[in-house]
Amino acid sequence: MKRIGIDVGGTNTDAALLDGDRVLASVKTFTTADVTSGVRTALNDLLAQAGDAAQDTIAVMIGTTHFTNAVVERRNLGRAAAIRIALPASASLVPFCDWPRDLAAKVNGGVYLVEGGHEYDGRPLVPMNERAVAEAARKIAADGIPAVAISATFSPLTAECEERAAEIVRNEAPDVHVTMSSTLGRIGLLERENVALMNASLIGLARETTRAFVDAVRDSGIEAQLFITQNDGTVVKADAAREYPVFSFASGPTNSMRGAALLAGIEDAVVCDVGGTTADVGCLVNGFPREANNVVEVGGVRTLFRMPDLLSVALGGGTKVTRDPLSVGPESVGYRLGQEALVFGGEQVTATDIAVAAGLIDIGDKSRVAGLSADFVSRALAVMHDRIAEAVDRMKTDATEIPLLAAGGGAMLIPETMPGISKVVHVEHNGVANAVGAAMAQISGETDRIYRDMERDDAIAAARADAIAAAIEAGADKDSIKVIEVEDLPLSYLPGRAIRTRVRVVGDAAALKGTVSA
């Protein structure tokens, strides 16, 4: 089954064509300011290189930093209103209260607090005020706000209030897009609400970007389904990704981790992905990134949802290096590496120039770095090695020595020996490991709910069935689905025998060839 993976990073856009686990062709191009034209270039270059080998490609998987960059850089964001169903509780900390001021000023489209919600044991806090929800919906539409995020207390356990409120909003304001927090986050009202608001603010950009990706694939001449990669190393169809852009925030590093695992044939390891701007360090467990179980900040906003446990440091191929005194980063030339680095005819010393001068890589015009002293090169390399080793050590959870998989176009900057690392493995095609990971991504299904008056094994079986059904609905081949994660927690504070059970499954995309849509 042939698939194309494309990963858009801050500096490079990479593409790879795979047939099963075999890489047939790969290309690396510079990312463009508008992202989409870079995807077109990478896709067209890949197809030209692959020739007839690209025939019968059934799917294109794209990972992009477009959405997280929009939040971090405060651009291309839409206004979003917040309807919180929680009164008389939760009134002291209103929506947007913990957002950076500049970001809140761009996104805040109004705050509406409504009576309703549930207690932690599923009992109604107070009856929901449906009239107040309807009035809020009419006001949001009258103000021209394009999207709304609906949150309610303990909605991941009981989404009844959010679902009813969404129904009312769609009836009163059919042109307003609705995001329910229960579909995105976990327990923790503020963090879950923040994710929903962020998602709502990105809906316009997500629709525009997804349509551009669809057009790029269609214009390339291949008939294939389009998928977008997600934070957990899986993919969703383009039309689903259009509704939940926040699930793609960390897809770039995740793609690299998955690709490195597949290329190396190692499922439990530390992965260091050195790109053009940052080095991202994470841990693989059973071939998938270890998930973060604590709050993750995105653009200065506290969130708690499905995100990989990653540590990013400002070190990549485009990192600026200065002399007298020596400094390495944090600034980077980013996608301008091809114009500004010494070896490419520019005037800025970068980490790539240091690597070329040290003989770690052979690209560009080596004569342009001949004037860099050996002492300067060795000291700069030492700083880079120390920075990576410290990041790796911080991500390990115990003293056991495990392998480290080196990936990314800047993998040459990773030291060959580090404390706590049994060996450093430079995987084949490591420069495009992110594109390989995107191409090999599977479709997931997850359930996280409370089961009452059931034995533990029965609760897990029910959760497994729900997760499998979700994966099949998302486009997974039912014969390829496997369980990768099971968690269960008895809840002694709830009446009856209550068990909170979370099950995650993955499966290959069903081999359905056809034109892309969104």
Side-chain angles (χ1 to χ4, degrees):
M1 188 166 64
K2 295 178 182 177
R3 295 179 286 187
I4 290 174
I6 300 174
D7 189 89
V8 184
T11 303
N12 297 304
T13 295
D14 304 329
L17 170 65
L18 276 71
D19 186 359
D21 293 343
R22 190 162 56 99
V23 179
L24 301 181
S26 64
V27 298
K28 180 181 287 288
T29 64
F30 286 114
T31 296
T32 55
D34 66 348
V35 176
T36 305
S37 59
V39 170
R40 287 180 180 271
T41 299
L43 182 56
N44 292 334
D45 288 354
L46 180 71
L47 294 176
Q49 183 188 124
D52 293 339
Q55 293 182 2
D56 300 322
T57 298
I58 67 162
V60 176
M61 281 84 164
I62 299 179
T64 177
T65 60
H66 210 30
F67 305 131
T68 187
N69 286 347
V71 175
V72 172
E73 298 173 13
R74 289 17 179 188
R75 58 175 175 79
N76 297 324
L77 298 171
R79 299 187 74 79
I83 295 179
R84 180 193 288 176
I85 307 165
L87 291 181
S90 305
S92 58
L93 298 175
V94 298
F96 296 105
C97 68
D98 60 341
W99 285 45
R101 288 185 179 180
D102 61 332
L103 184 57
K106 285 183 174 292
V107 175
N108 191 343
V111 171
Y112 304 87
L113 304 182
V114 177
E115 292 85 356
H118 288 83
E119 298 276 12
Y120 64 87
D121 59 359
R123 290 178 293 131
L125 189 64
V126 295
M128 187 176 78
N129 188 338
E130 296 190 0
R131 180 177 177 179
V133 175
E135 290 175 352
R138 290 191 289 269
K139 181 66 165 58
I140 291 166
D143 290 344
I145 305 301
V148 60
I150 300 175
S151 59
T153 53
F154 293 102
S155 61
L157 305 183
T158 306
E160 178 183 329
C161 285
E162 287 191 7
E163 291 170 352
R164 176 58 183 147
E167 182 182 357
I168 294 171
V169 171
R170 292 186 180 111
N171 289 335
E172 298 290 339
D175 294 332
V176 174
H177 183 276
V178 176
T179 296
M180 294 186 293
S181 75
S182 58
T183 63
L184 296 170
R186 295 172 179 167
I187 300 299
L189 178 61
L190 274 180
E191 292 81 7
R192 173 164 38 86
E193 183 176 66
N194 286 343
V195 174
L197 286 167
M198 207 172 284
N199 191 81
S201 72
L202 289 166
I203 287 299
L205 178 62
R207 289 174 173 172
E208 177 185 328
T209 302
T210 303
R211 171 54 58 187
F213 287 163
V214 168
D215 292 343
V217 174
R218 181 179 291 123
D219 293 346
S220 71
I222 61 174
E223 294 185 358
Q225 290 194 39
L226 174 63
F227 294 85
I228 306 298
T229 63
Q230 298 190 104
N231 301 328
D232 62 356
T234 61
V235 293
V236 293
K237 291 180 180 177
D239 53 354
R242 181 182 57 187
E243 299 301 308
Y244 300 110
V246 294
F247 280 152
S248 297
F249 272 175
S251 61
T254 299
N255 288 341
S256 293
M257 294 176 68
R258 289 277 291 143
L262 291 162
L263 291 167
I266 299 174
E267 293 194 333
D268 295 284
V270 177
V271 179
C272 183
D273 171 34
V274 185
T277 307
T278 63
D280 301 306
V281 182
C283 292
L284 286 166
V285 180
N286 295 325
F288 283 84
R290 183 177 71 202
E291 278 196 18
N293 287 321
N294 54 355
V295 170
V296 176
E297 284 201 3
V298 179
V301 179
R302 290 165 54 87
T303 67
L304 182 58
F305 68 121
R306 197 170 66 214
M307 288 279 279
D309 188 9
L310 292 173
L311 177 61
S312 296
V313 295
L315 177 63
T319 297
K320 294 181 179 180
V321 182
T322 60
R323 290 174 279 194
D324 302 324
L326 172 67
S327 68
V328 179
E331 296 86 4
S332 170
V333 297
Y335 63 82
R336 301 183 304 278
L337 180 66
Q339 293 80 44
E340 296 192 20
L342 292 181
V343 293
F344 295 124
E347 299 299 326
Q348 175 65 54
V349 180
T350 66
T352 296
D353 298 310
I354 297 297
V356 172
L360 300 177
I361 190 172
D362 185 8
I363 58 173
D365 184 358
K366 290 192 294 185
S367 66
R368 290 185 55 83
V369 295
L372 300 179
S373 70
D375 178 65
F376 169 60
V377 170
S378 64
R379 288 190 297 121
L381 270 179
V383 171
M384 298 178 200
H385 288 175
D386 289 345
R387 196 168 293 174
I388 291 174
E390 180 185 357
V392 169
D393 185 61
R394 288 175 60 186
M395 288 304 294
K396 290 189 61 184
T397 57
D398 57 48
T400 305
E401 289 196 346
I402 57 175
L404 182 142
L405 308 184
M412 69 282 182
L413 301 176
I414 298 173
E416 291 302 317
T417 59
M418 278 177 277
I421 296 300
S422 58
K423 61 179 177 178
V424 175
V425 180
H426 289 267
V427 299
E428 187 180 8
H429 304 291
N430 65 0
V432 292
N434 47 6
V436 172
M440 293 301 296
Q442 297 170 295
I443 292 174
S444 70
E446 182 177 356
T447 185
D448 185 353
R449 55 170 294 189
I450 291 177
Y451 296 87
R452 288 188 172 90
D453 299 318
M454 297 178 68
E455 297 295 335
R456 175 178 179 273
D457 291 344
D458 294 335
I460 292 175
R464 182 187 295 113
D466 289 344
I468 291 173
I472 293 173
E473 184 179 356
D477 179 356
K478 65 179 181 179
D479 295 328
S480 67
I481 291 176
K482 66 177 182 178
V483 178
I484 63 168
E485 192 173 0
V486 176
E487 291 182 2
D488 64 286
L489 178 66
L491 302 178
S492 57
Y493 55 81
L494 294 186
R497 290 176 298 171
I499 304 174
R500 181 181 179 183
T501 308
R502 184 170 76 91
V503 175
R504 189 157 67 104
V505 302
V506 296
D508 296 331
L512 298 175
K513 185 178 176 182
T515 55
V516 295
S517 63

